[in-house]
Amino acid sequence: MRALIQRVTHASVTVKGEVVGQTGPGLLILVCAMLGDDEGKAETLAAKIAKLRIFPDDAGKMNRSLRDIGGGALVVSQFTLAADTRSGNRPGFSSAAPPDEGKRLYESFAQNLRSHGVPCETGRFGASMQVALTNDGPVTIWLDV
């Protein structure tokens, strides 16, 4: 699985004018299931993100995890993270998992994150979404598992 995480002070996702998910201080997590991914990868990615020390401690060093700060997560599916731009001008997405499998793994990832004690809201899989965020730091990290 692949994720782009952003440390945020606030993030929200809107579908057709309705806010369907949001978080205060914590992470916006854009996630993509890739071909060959399974439940184990969803669990591994969730565990890694829950424990990743990217929040400042009292000395200002990135030394605290999402769980340490009691932060939340907003998880948004984004198959475009699978974009292959090596040739031509139009990205290819053939390395993304098929939609049914992608949805299952996206939901599994969010549930696994919750099982690690992280309050988690989500976007709406397959919908046209508008994502708003205030990136804190800014801190943006790419993860592949």
Side-chain angles (χ1 to χ4, degrees):
M1 291 191 75
R2 180 171 286 170
L4 182 73
I5 62 172
Q6 295 181 293
R7 193 174 77 188
V8 298
T9 57
H10 180 267
S12 64
V13 63
T14 303
V15 176
K16 296 182 179 177
E18 173 193 357
V19 174
V20 297
Q22 61 186 335
T23 190
L27 295 175
L28 169 65
I29 305 169
L30 306 174
V31 67
C32 178
M34 308 293 286
L35 282 177
D37 284 349
D38 58 18
E39 301 289 335
K41 287 199 174 183
E43 164 57 26
T44 298
L45 184 61
K48 175 81 172 177
I49 290 172
K51 295 183 242 174
L52 195 63
R53 296 181 346 188
I54 60 171
F55 293 90
D57 62 16
D58 292 338
K61 290 183 78 169
M62 284 200 280
N63 205 25
R64 299 180 77 203
S65 71
L66 188 57
R67 293 186 325 185
D68 293 336
I69 68 157
L74 175 59
V75 178
V76 177
S77 63
Q78 189 165 1
F79 82 94
T80 59
L81 291 178
D84 181 353
T85 59
R86 290 177 288 182
S87 64
N89 295 316
R90 183 172 183 265
F93 302 102
S94 60
S95 61
D100 289 347
E101 187 177 336
K103 181 177 183 184
R104 180 178 58 80
L105 292 171
Y106 161 72
E107 290 171 351
S108 175
F109 168 78
Q111 186 55 44
N112 279 308
L113 203 53
R114 290 181 191 106
S115 76
H116 284 280
V118 176
C120 179
E121 294 194 16
T122 62
R124 192 168 292 153
F125 188 90
S128 177
M129 296 175 275
Q130 290 72 50
V131 179
L133 70 137
T134 302
N135 193 313
D136 182 26
V139 174
T140 302
I141 298 173
W142 181 276
L143 294 169
D144 279 309
V145 296

